[in-house]
Amino acid sequence: MLDLVRDLNERQLEAARHVDGPLLVIAGAGSGKTRVITYRIANLVMNHGVPPRRIMAVTFTNKAAGEMKERVARLLGQDAIDCWVSTFHASCARLLRIHGERVGVNPRFTIYDDQDQKAMVARCLKELDFGDKIFPPRAVQSEINKARQELKGPQEYEAHDFYREKVRRAYELYEKRMREACALDFGDLLYRPVRAMRDDPELAAEIAGRFSFVLVDEFQDTNLAQLELVRLLGRPHRNVCVVGDDDQSIYSWRGADVGNILDFEKHFPGARVVTLDRNYRSTSRILKAAHGVVSKLADRRPKELWTKNPDGEPVTLVEAPDEREEARLVARAVQELVSEGTPLSEQAVFYRVNAQSRVFEEVLRTYDIPHRVVGGMRFYERAEVKDVLAYLRLVQNPADAASFLRVVNTPSRGIGKTTIDRLMALAAGRGVSPVDAIELAAGTDIGSAQVKRLTEWKGLLDAWRLEIDAGPAALARRILEETGYVEGLTRENNAEADARLENLEELVGSIADFEREAESPTLDAFLELVTLRSDVDETRFDGEELTLMTVHSAKGLEFDAVFVTGLEEGMFPYRSAADRGLGSDPKETAEERRLCYVAMTRARKRLFLTLASRRQIFGNTRCEPPSRFLSDIPADILLDVTPRPKVVPVRAPVTGRAPGQVPGRVAAVPRHRETWVDRSFDQTAESMPALEGRTVRHARFGVGKVLAVHEGAVPKVDVSFPGFGKKTILLSYLELD
């Protein structure tokens, strides 16, 4: 029996009972938006006699759609089967199967995924004889997808220069070849029905007439094509209900427009607005901290979340001297939370960019803390990182056939599968490595043009091998430059390419770290270290794992304890290397602020905020002030537990502030030392002599014994590590075991 009054709070009840006309539900984080959507569907069917087949509910992810279906089924039973509950793309694909002939689409179309689409774009560029150095397939694919989101076909695509005119021609040929292949890409699934409905009023009326009510979840994430689809579907009856939160709009980089939810009443005049501001997830202090950050937005719908949950623990702030100590502090806090009863599965570490995960992965492995990287692969398993490692292995060992196959045509240099197969057969027949077989390829069934390309590529390998003594970091830089790997990614000029470039910069930085710390900083030693790290079986703790993810990946999730890391200017809010030193874009800064709000509101009971005075990332050292977002948090709910040396700090403050001091009100917060932030020793000249003979732990080399101490402005120690010998290492990279 459906009981709205019993199951919903006052605001939820108001939204669920609404029937006729447009409705905007502003649903703050943790306020029960899915409950409102599902109860509203049940109310329409059970109390107002609306046939389930005339209700369409759409969201963005299969997971969210599946959860919505399950909840509707629990309320409606068998009737729920007839409701259209799915993602935007699945709903549009279904419409195209039904109305394909009217839309000019074969109803038996195949859907191409991202890689299929890229391959088709590449074939079109090759057919047009557009060189992939000037016109990388991924960059052209990105332009086509952007045009689709803006509902622009090849004729509407603005070709105001040479490059865009070539892209327009590629787009035109791409559409032709996709029709011939009876295929649609993801963008087509929205673009085709929306364009058809705009151009054919009868078709629009027929499709919209199938539904009496349209409900949209996560409306703040919609792009222009999705907004237009909702408008067209709701035009006859105006029974459109959208649910979302402008404070959680964080996907502009993939076309989402926060203006769609902010301007909903303009698109649907007379809309009723209901705000869900009661939070069921977080403690009061977490909500106040998050509100302090998001309330500074210039353009937002006014609201402040409240809860009947307890005040909870203060929001904890800690500043580390560098990114490794930041990771160690997090690791120790994770262990302490586990000892207090918070399982690993209820803890998460958030960071702004994927490259930040490397240091956390290394430190967590040292602490034997089981973990998983969500929303991205482990650092050394990412394609671009594996490509560079394959090149390095091939320089070190030219007989490495697996590495040869991975990089002989990476980045693309016109060496196709047939050529590679013939070369492998030649190598097998002559009993030589594939690299050595290149010298034997002339006069065989391998074409002369391909032989030339292979020979040029082998020349690069030979030249790199002569420079092997320069060190692995210098070699990696040469490989990235001389293969055109970095140049190609730079030319792609999209978010994915930028992330891959940052990962490559982080890789080179990690190799440079290895060279500074290793007793024998050779290429062989580095490759061995990486291989051993990748092959170690990770400890399991009753099936529990700590979650590591970017903040973007965390949207829609929640954990008992959350660590938001890297809270420095330039990291969060984030600015890429290309943007550093430039004035920040107000729209981008606003989205970074919303992103921080999303990160903080994932926490139920404990929220930890961390930053580093100095950070090695992307191959550079950054010394940035604390994030501006920290100064927006009310001082009375923020607890700064940054450890303070008892004598003189190892490093003088870079920015002219005391370590851990945050601009504004945060500086006035009382200091408190918790067990997980206590360092095992103070890194000062006075305390160092007592270290001799002590057992210490290093993230890469494991446990060792201190042999000697080198005092100075930046203290170092000699440590003997079993299996690695004596190492001279910065004291800040060690901790007492």
Side-chain angles (χ1 to χ4, degrees):
M1 180 67 181
L2 185 67
D3 190 337
L4 299 177
V5 176
R6 179 196 63 197
D7 296 342
L8 305 177
N9 67 36
E10 183 179 350
R11 296 286 181 83
Q12 292 172 337
L13 183 63
E14 181 183 357
R17 279 179 167 172
H18 180 84
V19 178
D20 297 318
L23 172 67
L24 169 62
V25 180
I26 300 296
S31 63
K33 65 182 179 62
T34 305
R35 172 177 286 263
V36 166
I37 294 175
T38 54
Y39 271 79
R40 185 165 189 270
I41 292 173
N43 182 54
L44 291 172
V45 174
M46 299 177 71
N47 295 335
H48 296 275
V50 178
R53 61 183 173 79
R54 296 186 63 81
I55 298 174
M56 172 188 275
V58 293
T59 186
F60 279 84
T61 66
N62 290 321
K63 178 182 177 182
E67 180 183 353
M68 194 181 298
K69 284 180 181 178
E70 290 177 3
R71 293 198 187 189
V72 172
R74 286 199 294 268
L75 294 172
L76 292 182
Q78 193 67 21
D79 288 344
I81 297 176
D82 294 331
C83 291
W84 281 48
V85 181
S86 60
T87 65
F88 270 102
H89 289 92
S91 293
C92 288
R94 187 174 176 184
L95 289 173
L96 288 172
R97 301 287 185 196
I98 297 170
H99 302 280
E101 293 181 1
R102 294 278 299 276
V103 178
V105 172
N106 187 323
R108 302 181 65 181
F109 60 84
T110 298
I111 300 175
Y112 276 13
D113 64 15
D114 179 75
Q115 291 300 318
D116 295 330
Q117 184 193 19
K118 180 187 173 186
M120 177 63 85
V121 170
R123 290 200 294 272
C124 292
L125 292 170
K126 185 176 182 180
E127 185 176 341
L128 292 168
D129 198 23
F130 292 173
D132 57 13
K133 287 190 175 180
I134 300 177
F135 300 95
R138 182 66 76 183
V140 176
Q141 177 189 18
S142 180
E143 283 291 310
I144 292 173
N145 289 340
K146 183 180 179 182
R148 295 281 177 73
Q149 291 174 359
E150 297 172 351
L151 298 175
K152 295 177 181 178
Q155 301 310 313
E156 294 89 4
Y157 181 79
E158 297 173 0
H160 47 67
D161 56 29
F162 168 81
Y163 178 82
R164 290 178 67 87
E165 171 57 29
K166 296 291 188 182
V167 172
R168 187 198 64 76
R169 288 181 58 193
Y171 186 5
E172 194 171 52
L173 181 60
Y174 172 79
E175 287 218 322
K176 180 180 179 181
R177 295 290 178 256
M178 289 289 283
R179 282 196 301 271
E180 293 171 352
C182 189
L184 300 179
D185 58 42
F186 289 144
D188 274 322
L189 296 177
L190 291 167
Y191 170 77
R192 297 293 175 190
V194 172
R195 284 293 298 257
M197 291 171 72
R198 285 204 319 191
D199 298 340
D200 186 345
E202 289 186 7
L203 176 64
E206 182 179 343
I207 293 176
R210 298 179 65 92
F211 309 103
S212 301
F213 293 88
V214 177
L215 300 92
V216 184
D217 190 18
E218 303 286 9
F219 192 69
Q220 77 279 350
D221 294 334
T222 53
N223 58 30
L224 176 61
Q226 289 157 337
L227 171 65
E228 189 65 15
L229 175 66
V230 173
R231 292 176 60 185
L232 289 166
L233 290 173
R235 181 173 290 170
H237 47 72
R238 300 182 75 245
N239 292 329
V240 172
C241 168
V242 303
V243 182
D245 182 8
D246 53 297
D247 289 341
Q248 297 186 70
S249 179
I250 60 173
Y251 295 118
S252 65
W253 49 275
R254 67 184 189 195
D257 184 356
V258 68
N260 291 351
I261 193 168
L262 291 175
D263 299 332
F264 181 78
E265 294 98 316
K266 295 180 182 178
H267 302 301
F268 293 91
R272 186 175 186 175
V273 180
V274 177
T275 300
L276 307 182
D277 54 6
R278 180 180 174 183
N279 177 280
Y280 290 88
R281 175 188 302 156
S282 305
T283 66
S284 178
R285 283 190 169 116
I286 290 172
L287 294 181
K288 287 179 181 178
H291 180 73
V293 172
V294 80
S295 63
K296 299 299 187 293
L297 285 170
D299 192 9
R300 69 183 286 265
R301 291 181 177 270
K303 56 186 171 298
E304 181 171 1
L305 298 182
W306 63 277
T307 184
K308 291 183 178 180
N309 294 337
D311 287 345
E313 296 287 334
V315 174
T316 304
L317 170 71
V318 60
E319 179 174 7
D322 56 37
E323 75 283 356
R324 286 196 173 275
E325 184 62 19
E326 177 188 41
R328 292 190 190 103
L329 288 168
V330 169
R332 289 198 285 268
V334 167
Q335 290 178 326
E336 185 163 308
L337 286 169
V338 170
S339 70
E340 294 172 351
T342 304
L344 284 175
S345 60
E346 286 297 342
Q347 300 186 51
V349 177
F350 297 161
Y351 35 80
R352 179 59 183 82
V353 293
N354 275 313
Q356 289 172 263
S357 75
R358 178 182 65 85
V359 174
F360 282 106
E361 291 176 54
E362 292 176 353
V363 171
L364 290 170
R365 187 175 293 109
T366 301
Y367 277 78
D368 293 330
I369 297 177
H371 58 278
R372 58 174 179 157
V373 180
V374 177
M377 292 174 287
R378 296 184 185 276
F379 184 82
Y380 289 103
E381 293 174 356
R382 290 166 186 155
E384 59 274 15
V385 173
K386 293 182 74 172
D387 289 343
V388 176
L389 293 177
Y391 269 116
L392 291 172
R393 288 191 175 100
L394 202 56
V395 171
Q396 186 256 346
N397 176 18
D400 186 343
S403 294
F404 170 86
L405 289 172
R406 183 174 184 92
V407 298
V408 66
N409 196 41
T410 303
S412 177
R413 51 179 60 86
I415 301 173
K417 183 178 183 299
T418 300
T419 297
I420 295 172
D421 289 344
R422 289 173 177 173
L423 185 68
M424 295 298 289
L426 177 64
R430 300 290 183 90
V432 298
S433 72
V435 171
D436 291 336
I438 292 173
E439 296 182 353
L440 309 175
T444 66
D445 56 354
I446 300 174
S448 58
Q450 283 69 35
V451 171
K452 181 180 178 182
R453 294 188 184 109
L454 287 166
T455 302
E456 291 173 349
W457 180 75
K458 183 177 183 297
L460 290 175
L461 288 178
D462 293 339
W464 297 333
R465 199 167 295 117
L466 294 174
E467 300 295 326
I468 199 169
D469 290 337
L475 186 56
R477 292 188 189 99
R478 281 196 64 179
I479 289 169
L480 289 170
E481 178 183 351
E482 295 176 10
T483 59
Y485 207 116
V486 168
E487 181 183 0
L489 289 174
T490 302
R491 198 179 297 115
E492 287 186 20
N493 192 29
N494 57 40
E496 179 184 348
D498 289 346
R500 297 180 69 193
L501 283 169
E502 290 170 352
N503 288 334
L504 291 174
E505 291 168 349
E506 180 69 5
L507 173 64
V508 174
S510 72
I511 300 174
D513 285 347
F514 163 79
E515 289 184 341
R516 284 191 294 270
E517 298 174 17
E519 182 178 23
S520 177
T522 64
L523 177 59
D524 287 356
F526 172 73
L527 292 175
E528 179 178 314
L529 180 65
V530 172
T531 302
L532 290 174
R533 176 189 295 120
S534 300
D535 291 343
V536 171
D537 292 331
E538 295 192 354
T539 307
R540 289 293 179 265
F541 181 73
D542 295 332
E544 295 285 341
E545 292 179 314
L546 174 69
T547 299
L548 277 63
M549 61 172 62
T550 64
V551 182
H552 281 103
S553 300
K555 177 77 182 301
L557 302 177
E558 57 186 74
F559 302 87
D560 281 349
V562 164
F563 297 84
V564 184
T565 66
L567 280 161
E568 308 111 40
E569 285 293 309
M571 283 305 300
F572 204 173
Y574 179 70
R575 293 194 310 277
S576 67
D579 295 331
R580 290 174 65 76
L582 303 177
S584 57
D585 184 332
K587 289 185 178 180
E588 292 182 0
T589 301
E591 179 145 329
E592 291 291 308
R593 188 173 289 278
R594 293 193 294 268
L595 191 61
C596 186
Y597 171 80
V598 167
M600 296 169 76
T601 54
R602 301 308 94 194
R604 297 191 193 102
K605 300 177 182 178
R606 296 297 304 272
L607 175 61
F608 300 84
L609 310 176
T610 72
L611 64 152
S613 302
R614 182 176 68 180
R615 182 176 300 276
Q616 285 270 356
I617 193 164
F618 309 142
N620 298 308
T621 300
R622 294 185 176 189
C623 299
E624 299 284 4
S627 169
R628 67 192 71 182
F629 303 147
L630 294 175
S631 62
D632 297 328
I633 299 173
D636 60 340
I637 61 171
L638 188 65
L639 182 65
D640 187 341
V641 299
T642 299
R644 301 286 180 259
K646 297 177 182 178
V647 195
V648 180
V650 173
R651 279 190 290 274
V654 177
T655 59
R657 57 189 168 83
Q661 181 179 342
V662 179
R665 294 167 293 181
V666 177
V669 178
R671 305 298 183 189
H672 175 71
R673 185 182 290 270
E674 292 189 353
T675 56
W676 59 272
V677 296
D678 280 341
R679 288 195 173 86
S680 301
F681 53 87
D682 290 309
Q683 297 174 9
T684 63
E686 180 179 297
S687 63
M688 283 190 297
L691 291 176
E692 293 184 10
R694 298 292 297 274
T695 300
V696 294
R697 182 181 292 268
H698 184 271
R700 290 178 178 169
F701 304 124
V703 176
K705 179 175 289 187
V706 176
L707 303 177
V709 177
H710 305 283
E711 299 181 11
V714 182
K716 300 179 182 180
V717 292
D718 292 339
V719 184
S720 175
F721 292 101
F724 293 97
K726 187 180 78 171
K727 306 286 184 184
T728 301
I729 298 177
L730 295 179
L731 185 58
S732 60
Y733 282 79
L734 297 170
E735 64 179 72
L736 287 180
D737 190 43

